[in-house]
Amino acid sequence: MTGWASRAANRTVVGLVLLFLWTPIVVVFVVSFDTSTFLRFPPREFSFAPYVEVFQTAEFSRGLWISLVVAAGSTLLAITVSTAAALALHRHRFRGSGIVQGFFVSPLLVPHIVLALALLLLFSPLGLTDGYTGLILAHLVLCIPYAIRTISVSLSTADTACEDAARVLGANGWATFRRVTFPLIRPGVVAGAVMSFLVSFDEAVISLFLSGYYVKPLPVALLEHVETQAGPEVAALSVLLILFSIAIMLLLERMTGLRRSLR
């Protein structure tokens, strides 16, 4: 195969993959402006009424607030635990450290529905269902693998000579971490925080098992809304969530250079 034919084949494959990935998003975006009371494609009329209805629906507003609180709490805990664990695993090599590190990322290997059922059986006797505490702890299980991986990568590329120099100059452990270590691993911490927040904010399966009447995150509220009324407001909310995720990524890329921290 000639060079021109190879490049053409590669571009065709990439174009088909992008088309496959973007077609559902484009369809949802177009449907979000429909004036019908049910989902249909293509729309016959266009209006911003579905977006107005999203902000006027109480269950969506309350679900958004609950999702933000749970995502913020689980992200803060995940970053704290993952930073301490990554530092311990990287600075202190011991027999079985690889097994411990694998244990931290093991939730990624378990199907979410299996993990959700296990957490439900564990949290029900403790009274941690239908509450913020149970959801935050459950989402923490999913957030830690992402946070610890990004922080570990930053630690592996950080220059430990700077920490040694700080200790030689009289800095204690906390001062060394605050003034030297943390600035070096900050891109990895930020990347882990972003991924943890988005994973927690979008989690539906575990939230569905552990939520109840009083605490319903936005994904659960959206699923229950679809069961009774699947109109263009559902597509409008989906578009807003996509734009929200993109806005967070772009903002943090501008502030901290997130692209470099994900390499």
Side-chain angles (χ1 to χ4, degrees):
M1 181 179 293
T2 63
W4 178 86
S6 177
R7 289 193 298 270
N10 291 334
R11 292 175 181 176
T12 301
V13 172
V14 172
L16 291 175
V17 171
L18 291 176
L19 180 64
F20 175 77
L21 294 175
W22 280 96
T23 297
I25 298 177
V26 173
V27 171
V28 170
F29 179 79
V30 174
V31 171
S32 67
F33 293 97
D34 194 8
T35 58
S36 176
T37 57
F38 57 90
L39 293 174
R40 64 181 179 182
F41 184 84
R44 299 177 183 176
E45 298 179 359
F46 293 89
S47 173
F48 284 98
Y51 288 89
V52 176
E53 186 174 353
V54 168
F55 292 100
Q56 292 178 346
T57 304
E59 56 184 324
F60 289 161
S61 301
R62 176 170 173 77
L64 175 61
W65 170 252
I66 293 174
S67 291
L68 290 174
V69 172
V70 172
S74 58
T75 299
L76 181 61
L77 288 176
I79 291 301
T80 303
V81 173
S82 299
T83 302
L87 282 171
L89 291 172
H90 190 266
R91 296 291 188 262
H92 307 285
R93 297 293 181 180
F94 55 91
R95 180 177 298 178
S97 59
I99 298 176
V100 175
Q101 188 170 5
F103 173 78
F104 278 109
V105 299
S106 60
L108 297 179
L109 305 177
V110 181
H112 282 198
I113 191 169
V114 176
L115 189 60
L117 180 59
L119 290 172
L120 177 63
L121 296 176
L122 176 63
F123 287 176
S124 291
L126 301 177
L128 294 178
T129 58
D130 195 14
Y132 286 98
T133 303
L135 281 174
I136 290 175
L137 292 177
H139 287 196
L140 176 64
V141 176
L142 295 178
C143 294
I144 285 179
Y146 295 95
I148 198 170
R149 289 299 296 171
T150 57
I151 296 173
S152 296
V153 171
S154 294
L155 281 171
S156 64
T157 58
D159 187 5
T160 57
C162 298
E163 299 178 356
D164 296 335
R167 295 190 184 96
V168 170
L169 294 174
N172 56 26
W174 170 245
T176 301
F177 172 79
R178 181 168 55 89
R179 295 179 178 272
V180 180
T181 307
F182 184 77
L184 291 174
I185 66 173
R186 181 164 51 192
V189 173
V190 173
V194 172
M195 288 189 288
S196 298
F197 183 89
L198 294 179
V199 167
S200 175
F201 187 83
D202 293 334
E203 176 57 36
V205 178
I206 290 180
S207 299
L208 184 63
F209 273 70
L210 296 180
S211 62
Y213 179 79
Y214 296 102
V215 179
K216 294 180 182 178
L218 186 57
V220 178
L222 180 59
L223 288 174
E224 293 185 354
H225 183 84
V226 170
E227 291 179 354
T228 58
Q229 182 182 357
E233 71 279 357
V234 175
L237 178 58
S238 302
V239 172
L240 292 175
L241 292 178
I242 293 173
L243 295 177
F244 174 71
S245 300
I246 293 175
I248 291 179
M249 299 296 290
L250 292 178
L251 178 61
L252 291 175
E253 165 64 23
R254 178 174 292 273
M255 292 175 57
T256 62
L258 185 59
R259 185 183 306 173
R260 294 192 301 271
S261 62
L262 290 174
R263 291 178 180 175

